[in-house]
Amino acid sequence: MTNPRSTALPDAATLDQRFPAVAPERWTLDPGCTFLNHGSFGATPRSVLERQQDLRAEMERNPLRFLLDAAPPLIERSRGVVAGLIGADPSDVVFVRNATAGVNAVLRSLHFEPGDEVLYLSHAYNACANVVRFVAERWGAKAVEVELPWPIDDPAQATEAVLSAVTGRTKLAMLDHVTSVSGLVLPIADMVAGLKARGVETLVDAAHAPGMLPIDMQQIGAAYYTANCHKWLCAPKTAAFLYVRPDMQDGIEPELISHGSNHYGKGKGDLQMRFHWLGTSDPTPVICIADAVAVLESLLPGGLDALMHRNHAMAVGLRRVVCDAWGIQPPCPESMLGSMATLPLFVGRPRWDDSDAAEKQNALMHRVQQSLRVEVPIVDIALGGGGPVVIHTRFSCQAYNHGAQVLPFIEAFADVVDPTVFDGPARG
Ligand SMILES: Cc1ncc(COP(=O)(O)O)c(C=O)c1O
């Protein structure tokens, strides 16, 4: 059952009135581009970039005094901010360069027996799924892909898919808090609790979650939780963290073994010590996490909570507009949306397929991103059970976005959308 195309597309003024931009002048984005892809790499406010520049200038005036004296308390300030945002003790939070590094640190630290099973989702971020496969192969263990239903009607279906994949050999699950391509907010606390009850610990890849969703580590209960601050918290790039539950910290090593591994000669360092000083690097992205959060807190009277709520409401509202305009069914319920929405376009070919068959999406990508200058990802999702690969696009809603930006987005894909791709009962 397709959704009849609506004739009455709201006009730009109405959309902007419903979803006005919040302080767009605070970002440095190109005004010539309809930028609806905060999700891929984030975007950092101008004042935070200026602060980072100042810090770098200070570092270059005296690198020793900056790196050894000035930076550590500023890094601690950011650690406190992150720990506060996720309801964790700061001593259980360490900084990493990005979520990929966090996933690598955990998985490459763990020991498995031949035949052990490690679960990961069919919607997992490719780089992170690769780490699971690499580590499993090294130990003679099995990387087990859990098929997430797509389209999906209820978050409980995702939990059911994960829990029904557990066997007596399952040792760990790597689960996304928010899936990358499909933008699904998963019921992570339920999943972790269900796995725990079956004796399975969880590594959460939460690359998108901070700044998109409220996070409470006590409630989530995961052994490991890694996330980016350079996405929805708008910190400069290469700012991310790894939380490790206190009882799981032994043996978790950073991706680079450094001085802290022997506590500078004083014996085995604790988690903080082991992740301290991973070779010379630029600490300014991490230092600026605190500044970025302060900016986001200042944008609306209700602070970051109000901003997350606004971004979510905008994603929900604009997805309804798009689905009506294209005459399509939404692929997931609104309760599984954060501040991104992924929509199906047509049956196509896998992303890495460089044959002629992928020409249609390559041409589309070129037209949308280069000619029309609508910045959104165009991605594929393989439907399970031998189903086809379906090409999708995804839009993101951050403070600087305004409702009327959905109009060029709708227009860019209107000719290629196949409203019958996901025929089925009403969803949403
Ligand atoms: C779910 C998920 N995991 C991991 C990543 C990788 O993030 P990074 O490149 O910052 O490591 C992404 C990036 O979009 C993602 O969506």
Side-chain angles (χ1 to χ4, degrees), residues 77-88 93 95 229 233 241 289:
R77 175 170 158 257
S78 283
R79 195 190 315 278
V81 167
V82 167
L85 281 178
I86 66 169
V93 176
F95 289 113
C229 302
L233 287 179
F241 69 87
I289 295 171

Side-chain angles (χ1 to χ4, degrees), residues 329-412:
Q329 285 285 330
C332 72
E334 291 176 352
S335 64
M336 298 186 85
L337 292 183
S339 38
M340 303 190 289
T342 293
L343 298 150
L345 297 173
F346 52 85
V347 171
R349 303 287 299 176
R351 193 175 342 168
W352 311 118
D353 182 332
D354 54 5
S355 72
D356 291 349
E359 215 175 273
K360 184 174 173 189
Q361 48 267 43
N362 291 338
L364 177 67
M365 225 179 280
H366 190 271
R367 183 169 67 85
V368 171
Q369 294 165 351
Q370 311 285 334
S371 306
L372 301 176
R373 308 211 57 211
V374 176
E375 193 58 59
V376 283
I378 295 172
V379 290
D380 56 87
I381 300 179
L383 304 192
V389 167
V390 174
I391 307 305
H392 290 69
T393 186
R394 184 189 74 189
F395 69 82
S396 297
C397 299
Q398 183 50 289
Y400 52 78
N401 290 120
H402 58 98
Q405 286 179 304
V406 81
L407 296 175
F409 172 82
I410 289 172
E411 191 59 30

Side-chain angles (χ1 to χ4, degrees), residues 39-40 98-101 125 128 176 178-180 205 207-208 228 230-231:
S40 283
N98 46 50
T100 307
Y125 188 70
C128 299
D176 306 66
V178 182
T179 62
S180 177
D205 172 3
H208 284 276
N228 284 329
H230 53 230
K231 283 191 193 285

Side-chain angles (χ1 to χ4, degrees), residues 210-221:
M212 183 191 283
L213 305 169
I215 299 168
D216 179 352
M217 283 319 307
Q218 308 313 314
Q219 194 214 353
I220 293 173

Side-chain angles (χ1 to χ4, degrees), residues 1-172:
M1 189 181 79
T2 53
N3 198 2
R5 271 179 207 243
S6 161
T7 44
L9 192 59
D11 63 21
T14 306
L15 287 162
D16 278 351
Q17 201 176 12
R18 279 180 67 196
F19 302 110
V22 180
E25 71 287 351
R26 299 202 63 163
W27 273 265
T28 63
L29 291 160
D30 176 358
C33 172
T34 304
F35 192 82
L36 289 165
N37 192 4
H38 191 85
S40 283
F41 300 125
T44 303
R46 186 190 315 275
S47 59
V48 179
L49 295 172
E50 287 167 358
R51 161 89 170 137
Q52 186 184 22
Q53 260 323 103
D54 290 347
L55 288 164
R56 283 176 165 159
E58 190 183 335
M59 177 161 65
E60 296 312 324
R61 273 197 297 274
N62 187 332
L64 277 292
R65 297 288 59 85
F66 182 79
L67 290 170
L68 301 181
D69 299 339
L74 296 173
I75 294 170
E76 287 316 304
R77 175 170 158 257
S78 283
R79 195 190 315 278
V81 167
V82 167
L85 281 178
I86 66 169
D89 189 300
S91 63
D92 302 329
V93 176
V94 290
F95 289 113
V96 289
R97 284 180 298 161
N98 46 50
T100 307
V103 164
N104 268 277
V106 172
L107 288 173
R108 297 174 84 153
S109 296
L110 297 176
H111 294 241
F112 297 97
E113 298 292 331
D116 283 351
E117 294 175 3
V118 183
L119 306 183
Y120 68 100
L121 299 174
S122 55
H123 290 212
Y125 188 70
N126 180 58
C128 299
N130 280 344
V131 189
V132 174
R133 294 184 200 112
F134 171 84
V135 167
E137 192 179 328
R138 195 170 63 179
W139 290 99
K142 200 167 144 199
V144 178
E145 181 177 304
V146 176
E147 190 69 51
L148 265 192
W150 184 261
I152 185 167
D153 295 308
D154 192 303
Q157 287 177 281
T159 308
E160 174 56 26
V162 170
L163 298 185
S164 62
V166 174
T167 72
R169 296 309 307 266
T170 310
K171 287 292 174 311
L172 183 83

